Amino acid sequence: DNVTTTSFSIPKTAREHTSQAFWKGKNDIIPNIIRLQVENSDNYFDETVLRTLPLETGVTENHDGQFDAYKMFAWDNSKPQLYTKNEGNANHFAINSIPEITGHKIVPLGVYVGETGSYTINITENSFKNTHVWLEDRNNETFINFVEPSSYVFNYAVETTNDRFYLHFDINSAPVLNEKIPNQETIVDETYEYYLPINLFTDKNLGDKLTLDVSIDGESFSNSWINFNAETGRIYGTPTDIKEFTITVSATDIFGLTASEEYLLNVKSSGLNVSNINSDNVIVHPNPTSGIVNINILGKTVKGKILVTDISGKVIISKNISGKQNVLDISKFAHGLYFINIETNNGTVRKKIIKK
């Protein structure tokens, strides 16, 4: 056979070169990077990487030759493939570099599956600091916390999906104090008890976990007469000194940011007749409320009734006093002003409460 040969040349102007530092050490930690893998039941896996860079580097949301790598799909289309995308799904990335995250950021995560079955998405590296990372599965309406290395198992039919999985990035915010704790009184050598409001602290970051702690006069409650149950929010104990204590309640999120609230606990002599109930002995909170009302009766336990009336005087709730801590639920009643009447043999106290 006649074979015709030819030659061609590639000019230097056709060359492309970009400079990028390499991290070669096994123990080197690349800042602001997340590495994800998708794995099938045969332990075949594919991975993708997303990272953020300062704006001054020139990084963009689109393909940047010096920072990004396009996704090259495997010839064997029976294997799972994983990649990230930019807005509009214009580019599929194996390595995706984007500008630094300053608030909430959503990045589409693409998955190609060539065979029906069960698959696992693993997070194998996450060096984002003070940032919440979540995997959203819109088919199952599920959010998975990826702050710590973790995995998510899902079932898949043969398909390429561009709208099922999303990565959510959210800069961490400190917990928020929602209401003040009122100052309180108790009697020396008698049991003191107080339950923290359920939503005393909240956190706007999705799924952030708050750890509650209590200190007394600046020292851990474990070194004092105070006890604290973080699960129930119960603060309790028997004081042996007549004095005023400063109780500090704090909430710490998973990244170490905190919020706190202080209240004064005045321990008085048992010579005071605190069984004579008065307005100062009764604390009603929260006020206003969306439904749950806590009624704390200070001093000695009294017997009697709690009546809730509307502005016309109609009694809508009647129950016996169940100790120092009493809880009412007015969520089913209309918004407006109500009156809480605590009636005992030693006196009657009337408090206003607003249902919002």
Side-chain angles (χ1 to χ4, degrees):
D1 295 335
N2 294 326
V3 177
T4 302
T5 61
T6 186
S7 62
F8 64 92
S9 61
I10 301 176
K12 291 183 178 181
T13 55
R15 298 176 181 176
E16 181 176 343
H17 175 74
T18 56
S19 60
Q20 173 61 42
F22 290 89
W23 294 275
K24 295 183 179 180
K26 282 187 176 181
N27 297 323
D28 288 346
I29 298 176
I30 305 172
N32 298 338
I33 184 172
I34 186 169
R35 188 185 304 270
L36 298 163
Q37 292 181 348
V38 62
E39 185 177 5
N40 64 11
S41 57
D42 296 327
N43 296 323
Y44 176 90
F45 69 87
D46 185 42
E47 72 175 14
T48 189
V49 171
L50 183 139
R51 65 172 178 167
T52 63
L53 295 171
L55 277 174
E56 53 265 28
T57 63
V59 67
T60 69
E61 297 282 352
N62 298 313
H63 179 263
D64 303 302
Q66 67 269 44
F67 303 129
D68 300 330
Y70 285 122
K71 180 66 180 178
M72 304 296 291
F73 290 91
W75 288 104
D76 184 354
N77 59 12
S78 68
K79 307 302 183 184
Q81 306 289 303
L82 188 66
Y83 50 93
T84 59
K85 299 164 290 182
N86 60 356
E87 295 182 6
N89 301 323
N91 299 121
H92 296 173
F93 297 101
I95 300 175
N96 187 4
S97 303
I98 60 175
E100 287 180 322
I101 297 169
T102 57
H104 185 75
K105 175 71 176 177
I106 301 177
V107 177
L109 183 68
V111 177
Y112 168 79
V113 169
E115 294 180 344
T116 299
S118 178
Y119 296 86
T120 302
I121 293 178
N122 299 301
I123 179 170
T124 59
E125 183 179 357
N126 179 11
S127 63
F128 279 90
K129 294 182 178 180
N130 203 41
T131 303
H132 296 267
V133 183
W134 292 84
L135 173 68
E136 178 189 9
D137 182 347
R138 293 191 176 176
N139 281 16
N140 295 335
E141 298 182 348
T142 301
F143 281 86
I144 305 300
N145 187 347
F146 271 180
V147 172
E148 299 293 339
S150 53
S151 60
Y152 177 61
V153 179
F154 61 97
N155 294 316
Y156 229 36
V158 178
E159 60 178 312
T160 300
T161 179
N162 287 322
D163 58 4
R164 176 172 180 176
F165 295 107
Y166 293 83
L167 291 173
H168 291 252
F169 297 84
D170 197 13
I171 301 299
N172 187 51
S173 298
V176 175
L177 174 69
N178 293 314
E179 61 180 278
K180 302 289 288 183
I181 299 177
N183 294 331
Q184 301 176 29
E185 294 181 353
T186 192
I187 301 302
V188 68
D189 296 324
E190 292 190 6
T191 300
Y192 164 75
E193 183 180 53
Y194 175 71
Y195 283 87
L196 297 176
I198 295 176
N199 291 317
L200 179 63
F201 299 98
T202 54
D203 196 298
K204 77 171 188 177
N205 297 114
L206 175 67
D208 203 344
K209 296 178 181 180
L210 299 181
T211 301
L212 296 179
D213 196 12
V214 167
S215 63
I216 178 168
D217 289 344
E219 296 185 2
S220 172
F221 73 88
S222 60
N223 299 323
S224 73
W225 59 269
I226 280 283
N227 299 285
F228 177 57
N229 186 320
E231 292 185 2
T232 62
R234 181 182 179 222
I235 301 173
Y236 61 102
T238 303
T240 58
D241 296 322
I242 300 174
K243 63 172 291 186
E244 188 174 73
F245 296 94
T246 299
I247 310 295
T248 303
V249 182
S250 62
T252 305
D253 68 17
I254 59 177
F255 287 105
L257 296 183
T258 65
S260 63
E261 166 65 345
E262 289 184 352
Y263 69 95
L264 299 178
L265 176 61
N266 189 11
V267 179
K268 293 186 175 182
S269 168
S270 57
L272 296 176
N273 185 14
V274 295
S275 61
N276 291 331
I277 191 168
N278 57 59
S279 183
D280 293 335
N281 296 139
V282 178
I283 299 172
V284 176
H285 66 94
N287 190 8
T289 179
S290 57
I292 298 299
V293 181
N294 296 289
I295 302 173
N296 301 329
I297 301 176
L298 306 179
K300 293 181 179 179
T301 302
V302 295
K303 295 181 179 181
K305 280 187 172 293
I306 299 176
L307 304 176
V308 181
T309 62
D310 60 19
I311 57 176
S312 70
K314 179 183 177 182
V315 177
I316 60 173
I317 294 177
S318 175
K319 63 177 292 186
N320 291 328
I321 295 173
S322 58
K324 295 182 179 181
Q325 307 290 327
N326 299 266
V327 179
L328 302 177
D329 185 358
I330 62 171
S331 57
K332 67 180 182 181
F333 299 107
H335 303 303
L337 176 66
Y338 295 88
F339 298 95
I340 297 176
N341 303 278
I342 296 92
E343 299 181 351
T344 75
N345 292 333
N346 298 311
T348 299
V349 171
R350 192 184 202 198
K351 294 278 187 174
K352 294 180 181 179
I353 189 78
I354 295 175
K355 166 71 185 309
K356 62 182 179 181

